[in-house]
DNA sequence: CGGTTTTGACCCGCGC
DNA sequence: GCGCGGGTCAAAACCG
């Protein structure tokens, strides 16, 4: 919450440029775009996006297999006395206006937790990408004041395309392969 | 029957 | 050192 920090504001286009694996606005759920009457310049349901932190490093997610438990934590974290940067993965927050908590962003998510946060009447849900090779996480919570607003925070970058993207892209890819053979 | 959600317990960092 | 707040685990329930 707060957000009083110096978080640079980005447009959707900026974020997409940074992260080509994110779903483009064109594949946002039509339902969401429909029920969003007002005219955001993109016509999507995204109110704003903010880059919370981040070193965008593709393909460098925590290689931690399944053995990474809490104590050992992710990546490299040993001492804290110094200025260990903690290698914070990229974090992006979306404010969306939707009646549905989960917006279909093309990826499949598995819920792994839910917690009540202080100063909020609603709970926060924690999701993880179902792809084993990809440990992108996201958390979702509604604003306590305006429960029609859903805050979705992505952490990390997918190291694989979503099934939906591939599905819509496969005809194109096939054609590309065919043409390249000529 | 396999994958997902639910839910309480557990763990960890941080402030006091 | 302790307690609180927040993030995660994991087992059982749930669902197609």
């Amino acid at each position: 919450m707060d957000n009083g920090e110096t978080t640079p504001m980005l447009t959707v286009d900026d974020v997409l440029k940074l992260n080509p694996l994110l779903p483009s606005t064109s594949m946002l759920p039509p339902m969401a775009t429909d029920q969003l009457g007002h005219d955001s310049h993109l016509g999507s349901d995204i109110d704003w996006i903010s880059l919370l932190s981040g070193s965008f490093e593709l393909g460098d997610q925590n290689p931690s297999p399944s053995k990474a438990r809490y104590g050992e934590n992710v990546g490299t974290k040993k001492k804290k006395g110094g200025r260990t940067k903690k290698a914070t993965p990229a974090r992006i927050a979306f404010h969306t206006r939707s009646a549905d908590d989960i917006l279909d962003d093309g990826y499949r998510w598995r819920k792994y937790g839910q917690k009540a946060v202080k100063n909020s009447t609603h709970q926060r849900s924690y999701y993880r990408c179902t792809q084993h090779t990809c440990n992108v996480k996201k958390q979702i919570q509604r604003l306590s004041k305006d429960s029609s607003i859903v805050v979705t925070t992505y952490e990390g970058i997918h190291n694989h395309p979503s099934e939906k993207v591939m599905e819509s892209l496969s005809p194109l890819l096939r054609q590309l392969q065919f043409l390249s053979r000529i």
Side-chain angles (χ1 to χ4, degrees):
Chain A
M1 32 204 165
D2 63 305
N3 268 13
E5 327 175 4
T6 60
T7 58
M9 289 303 233
L10 298 178
T11 67
V12 175
D13 288 332
D14 288 336
V15 174
L16 288 177
K17 252 177 269 177
L18 283 171
N19 183 4
L21 290 185
L22 273 178
S24 73
T25 58
S26 59
M27 49 175 303
L28 284 173
M31 170 207 64
T33 53
D34 280 352
Q35 81 180 158
L36 178 131
H38 60 12
D39 47 4
S40 113
H41 51 292
L42 282 150
S44 77
D45 63 335
I46 295 179
D47 283 354
W48 59 253
I49 300 175
S50 80
L51 211 193
L52 297 181
S53 71
S55 40
F56 284 91
E57 294 184 22
L58 275 172
D60 180 55
Q61 301 300 56
N62 310 322
S64 65
S66 47
K67 222 67 253 200
R69 267 206 157 113
Y70 273 95
E72 17 241 330
N73 177 33
V74 269
T76 57
K77 198 262 212 98
K78 225 146 211 189
K79 25 175 35 159
K80 62 159 93 167
R83 43 201 61 243
T84 328
K85 225 112 174 250
K86 199 204 296 224
T88 316
R91 273 224 285 242
I92 301 176
F94 295 80
H95 267 205
T96 67
R97 169 176 243 102
S98 165
D100 198 1
D101 284 18
I102 311 123
L103 61 94
D104 184 8
D105 52 11
Y107 290 94
R108 297 191 56 230
W109 301 92
R110 180 179 63 260
K111 188 180 199 173
Y112 68 89
Q114 175 171 317
K115 262 277 176 166
V117 286
K118 232 185 147 165
N119 295 330
S120 177
T121 57
H122 299 80
Q123 299 203 292
R124 175 181 298 166
S125 302
Y126 302 90
Y127 294 86
R128 188 182 308 233
C129 184
T130 53
Q131 214 72 31
H132 297 64
T133 63
C134 170
N135 36 11
V136 173
K137 289 174 282 193
K138 76 170 177 181
Q139 44 184 244
I140 294 179
Q141 79 176 333
R142 312 192 85 101
L143 294 185
S144 53
K145 207 48 207 224
D146 188 351
S147 44
S148 64
I149 303 279
V150 178
V151 182
T152 305
T153 304
Y154 288 85
E155 177 174 321
I157 304 212
H158 295 279
N159 53 19
H160 64 96
S162 77
E163 304 172 3
K164 296 210 170 171
V165 172
M166 287 315 276
E167 195 173 328
S168 57
L169 239 48
S170 57
L172 201 66
L173 290 176
R174 260 200 304 277
Q175 188 154 3
L176 237 42
Q177 284 180 340
F178 174 71
L179 289 177
S180 67
R181 212 176 307 144
I182 300 178

